[in-house]
Every structure is written in C-alpha cells, then in structure tokens.
C-alpha cells in the first residue's frame, strides 16, 4: 500500500535502493544508468525510479535533507516495501587533512550529534555501523575503478550552519567527513535487520574554504554513482 510519502505499490521498488539526498540526482541516475526506468513516486517531489543496471533490478530514490527526512523515507522502504539494501549516495564536507575535494568516502560508521537514537531507549550510546556485505563490495568496486577513496568514521550532523564551529574538534578524533543523513539510515537498517551503506563524494572542504558548484553536485559525481551501482550488482 502507498504511504503518506510514497505512492509506490508493493513490487514497484527493488530489493536494493540507491538513495541520493537530491531527487534530481535520482532522476539523473535513472536517465543515464538504468534501462527501462519507470517513475514510481512523485509525492513531495521525492522522485523514485526502478529500472535495470547490467540486468539487475535497482531502484533509486531521493531521501531529502537531514536525519528526519532520511528517517522517514528509509523506514518506509525497509518496513513497508520490503527493501533489503539501501545505499546512500551523497555529498560531504571533508574534515580529515588527507581527504580532498572529489575524493570518495565510504562510511564504515557514523558519529552524530542527532538525538535520533533516543527513540530506542538504549542504556548507553549506540554506534551506527554499515553492513559489512555492502561495505566490502563497495571497497572492491572502488578499487576496480582505481578511485581515490577512504573508509572510516564520518559525522552525521543536525546542523549545516554550526554556531559552535566544531569541525576541528571532530577532526581530532579521526572523523573523515561531515554530512546530514547517514546515522538515521544505519539505525533504521539495524532496527529492521536490513543492510545499509553510505558512499559520499567530497563536495567541499570547509576547513580549507574549497567547494564544488551546485550543478556539479547534482549531476557530475558519476564515480560515486557507478561505485554504488557496481556494489548493487555484486549482491
């Protein structure tokens, strides 16, 4: 049955879904990489498509920005549409000194300043972690492409404009990059006993004052898209 946020029917969505934050990036992937792509969702402009990549059925859908939006869309995909694997493909700001503009970051785990985990009433601090099956496949795909990539801990932040100016503090702890959605994805996957991974392209280096354009972030980060698609066909 459709949800308040997704008018797809059961069976319209593949077992593996790529989730960019930007729905226009989902459209770009569908138009440039998927065969026989069909749009299954347009609610709130959060476009979703299903098609085939190298003969494997794959879906791609936007998640929107931030933990709450990712929390809604990934929860529904896992729990209402029987999706088994979600691969977030997004942009990030580099924190570590050795991470450069346009590098690939594969999130093994994510720290966060979000209170999303409070709903689980855990007697401690939860550590959101990627699924090994997806992580190992993505690393193999990145190696095969000859990509410059980093695997490690990232930060999921609730704030884009950070009044505390805290990135230097996270850098001390070896955090590679900052983004705004992955903690919710990894927690939803854990709670649903499903699989999740985040693959990021570094779009800016806030501690160095470097950045890419909005157009480049929307359409030209093909390396990340191709690694995610190759990860999907390895499942």
């Amino acid at each position: 049955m459709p949800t308040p946020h997704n008018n797809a029917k059961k069976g319209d969505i593949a077992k593996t879904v790529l989730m960019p934050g930007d729905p226009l990036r989902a459209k770009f992937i569908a138009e440039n990489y998927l065969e026989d792509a069909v749009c299954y969702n347009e609610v709130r402009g959060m476009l979703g498509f299903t098609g085939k990549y190298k003969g494997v059925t794959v879906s791609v859908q936007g998640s929107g920005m931030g933990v709450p939006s990712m929390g809604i869309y990934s929860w529904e995909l896992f729990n209402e549409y029987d999706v088994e694997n979600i691969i977030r493909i997004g942009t990030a700001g580099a924190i570590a000194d050795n991470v450069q503009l346009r590098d690939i970051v594969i999130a093994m785990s994510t720290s966060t300043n979000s209170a999303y985990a409070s709903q689980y009433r855990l007697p401690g601090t939860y550590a959101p972690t990627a699924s090994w099956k997806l992580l190992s496949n993505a690393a193999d795909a990145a190696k095969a492409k000859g990509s410059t990539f980093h695997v490690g801990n990232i930060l999921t932040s609730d704030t884009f404009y950070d009044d505390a100016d805290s990135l230097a503090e996270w850098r001390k702890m070896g955090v590679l990059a900052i983004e705004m959605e992955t903690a919710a994805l990894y927690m939803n996957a854990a709670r649903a006993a499903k699989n999740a991974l985040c693959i990021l392209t570094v779009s800016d280096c806030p501690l160095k004052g470097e950045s890419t354009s909005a157009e480049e972030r929307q359409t030209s980060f093909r390396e990340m898209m191709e690694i995610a698609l190759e990860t999907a066909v390895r499942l």
Side-chain angles (χ1 to χ4, degrees), residues 184-219:
L185 172 61
Y186 284 9
M187 287 187 229
N188 279 352
R191 183 66 180 87
K194 301 295 182 71
N195 303 301
L197 179 67
C198 174
I199 304 172
L200 302 163
T201 298
V202 174
S203 60
D204 60 286
C205 300
L207 295 172
K208 300 175 184 177
E210 301 172 349
S211 64
T212 57
S213 69
E215 181 180 0
E216 187 174 7
R217 289 192 295 272
Q218 180 178 305
T219 62

Side-chain angles (χ1 to χ4, degrees), residues 104-127:
I104 301 295
V105 174
I106 302 174
M108 178 167 59
S109 58
T110 178
S111 301
T112 186
N113 58 22
S114 169
Y116 194 80
S118 63
Q119 65 184 299
Y120 306 116
R121 303 178 300 279
L122 298 167
T125 302
Y126 183 73

Side-chain angles (χ1 to χ4, degrees), residues 127-138:
T129 308
S131 300
W132 170 248
K133 174 172 65 174
L134 295 178
L135 178 64
S136 59
N137 284 352

